[in-house]
Amino acid sequence: MIIDGKKLSIEFIKEVKEEVETLKKQGKSIGLSVILIGEYPPSLIYVKNKEKKAKEAGIISEVIKYPNEVSENEVLNKIEELNQNSKVSGILVQLPLPGHIKKEKIINAINPLKDVDGFHPINVGNLASGTNAITPCTPLGCLYLIKSVENNLEGKHAVILGRSNLNGKPMAQLLLKENCTVTITHSKTKDLKSECKKADILVAAVGVKELVKGDWIKKGAIVIDVGINKSNGKIIGDVEFDSSKVMAKAITPVPGGVGPMTIACLLKNTLECFKKTSL
Ligand code: NAP
């Protein structure tokens, strides 16, 4: 089974849109502000897609653009202004940032209740303690993709490749909450293949093209490929798709798997932030 992330994302966006429309009828409006610094080509594409999908869902989206040389203070002042603005439900600062701007300082400045990316330490802590957190969009999207195949994950052995704050760590927290037994692997893991072979659920988020081969996959596993890697003008994942799909029970393609669900979850999080700040 190929997991169709595009199709699932359309259903999610439709649900968000319906809720947004109901709120609009009550005179409420949901706004997402995105801060984009510089001209890093992947960021330009991501932000454009996010803006397009937000509009599709009826969310008022604004992109605040700064040149690469903008000072840290100017960005911090803008974040404070957005924190105070009741029309802004969600704030997203597109990463990566230029070297002179400290990522932690920027993330910490965002009101945790408007932190649609779920990167603020309060949301990270809430996720770790299993309480009401805004969850990073990509791992949240992965969880929905996994649950579209199998709803009850209790007792499954989940293996995650990668331990980034963006993907691997929050993915582990989410799967722990689902009562999986979780193994996190990384670049210093010995014998990655044998770890992967134990996985009922395998999530690859490393950024190394086709690192995971078909013979690393346990027969019948659910395989989620987060990787986005350029190869000969094409985008490919961290998992070798053709050899893996014959082993897996279900697998996400790249593109068309995790990517669209990341954006759908961003819209879901924006609505969640609206509810936390305005209802
Ligand atoms: P990251 O911050 O660079 O982290 C990569 C992780 O993979 C690190 O923990 C690293 O280990 C581990 N790793 C690297 N090479 C490895 C190897 N050969 N064997 C085992 N582990 C290895 O990356 P990220 O931000 O999590 O992103 C990962 C991938 O997901 C990238 O391709 C990115 O473009 C993609 N991505 C996709 C979406 C989407 O919506 N589809 C969203 C975000 C990111 P160490 O910690 O030991 O260095």
Side-chain angles (χ1 to χ4, degrees), residues 2 6 41-42 73 81 113 129 137 141 168-169 202 224 272 279:
I2 312 296
K6 211 168 168 186
N73 261 342
E81 187 189 313
L113 299 176
S129 61
C137 307
K169 284 182 196 157
L202 184 71
I224 306 294
E272 194 69 25
L279 291 186

Side-chain angles (χ1 to χ4, degrees), residues 64-83:
I64 301 151
K65 290 183 183 159
Y66 288 111
N68 220 44
E69 310 73 48
V70 65
S71 72
E72 191 176 80
N73 261 342
E74 195 171 342
V75 182
L76 289 170
N77 287 339
K78 175 54 80 178
I79 291 173
E80 191 44 34
E81 187 189 313
L82 299 171
N83 282 341

Side-chain angles (χ1 to χ4, degrees), residues 219-232:
K219 191 90 188 147
I222 298 172
V223 179
I224 306 294
D225 191 350
V226 181
I228 300 176
N229 310 291
K230 268 197 179 155
S231 175
N232 301 324

Side-chain angles (χ1 to χ4, degrees), residues 10-158:
I10 290 169
E11 288 165 19
F12 266 65
I13 293 172
K14 193 169 160 250
E15 276 173 31
V16 172
K17 190 179 175 180
E18 281 167 8
E19 245 190 281
V20 169
E21 274 170 4
T22 307
L23 288 164
K24 270 187 180 168
K25 280 181 195 148
Q26 297 165 9
K28 292 169 176 141
S29 73
I30 294 104
L32 172 66
S33 292
V34 178
I35 295 180
L36 173 65
I37 304 171
E39 302 274 330
Y40 179 56
S43 293
L44 295 178
I45 297 171
Y46 296 148
V47 168
K48 208 172 157 196
N49 283 341
K50 287 169 185 173
E51 198 185 9
K52 185 172 159 234
K53 293 290 170 191
K55 280 191 180 139
E56 249 177 66
I59 292 173
I60 300 161
S61 159
E62 67 161 347
V63 179
I64 301 151
K65 290 183 183 159
Y66 288 111
N68 220 44
E69 310 73 48
V70 65
S71 72
E72 191 176 80
N73 261 342
E74 195 171 342
V75 182
L76 289 170
N77 287 339
K78 175 54 80 178
I79 291 173
E80 191 44 34
E81 187 189 313
L82 299 171
N83 282 341
Q84 300 300 332
N85 185 343
S86 61
K87 292 197 172 122
V88 175
S89 322
I91 304 168
L92 183 158
V93 179
Q94 184 63 44
L95 303 177
L97 299 174
H100 66 282
I101 299 183
K102 283 214 168 58
K103 185 175 78 179
E104 289 72 22
K105 216 168 167 183
I106 295 295
I107 290 171
N108 291 1
I110 299 172
N111 175 352
L113 299 176
K114 294 190 176 190
D115 169 35
V116 279
D117 261 336
F119 294 159
H120 191 284
I122 288 187
N123 284 315
V124 175
N126 282 347
L127 180 63
S129 61
T131 47
N132 198 8
I134 299 172
T135 308
C137 307
T138 302
L140 185 60
C142 292
L143 183 67
Y144 285 123
L145 288 163
I146 295 165
K147 293 193 101 176
S148 74
V149 181
E150 213 160 312
N151 195 42
N152 182 5
L153 307 179
E154 189 172 306
K156 302 272 182 210
H157 190 168

Side-chain angles (χ1 to χ4, degrees), residues 46 138 161-164 166-168 185-188 192 205-208 211 225-229 238 258-259 262:
Y46 296 148
T138 302
L161 284 92
R163 56 175 162 179
S164 71
L166 192 77
N167 291 312
T185 67
H186 45 78
S187 68
K188 307 291 183 287
L192 207 55
V206 285
V208 179
L211 174 73
D225 191 350
V226 181
I228 300 176
N229 310 291
D238 291 343
V258 174
T262 296

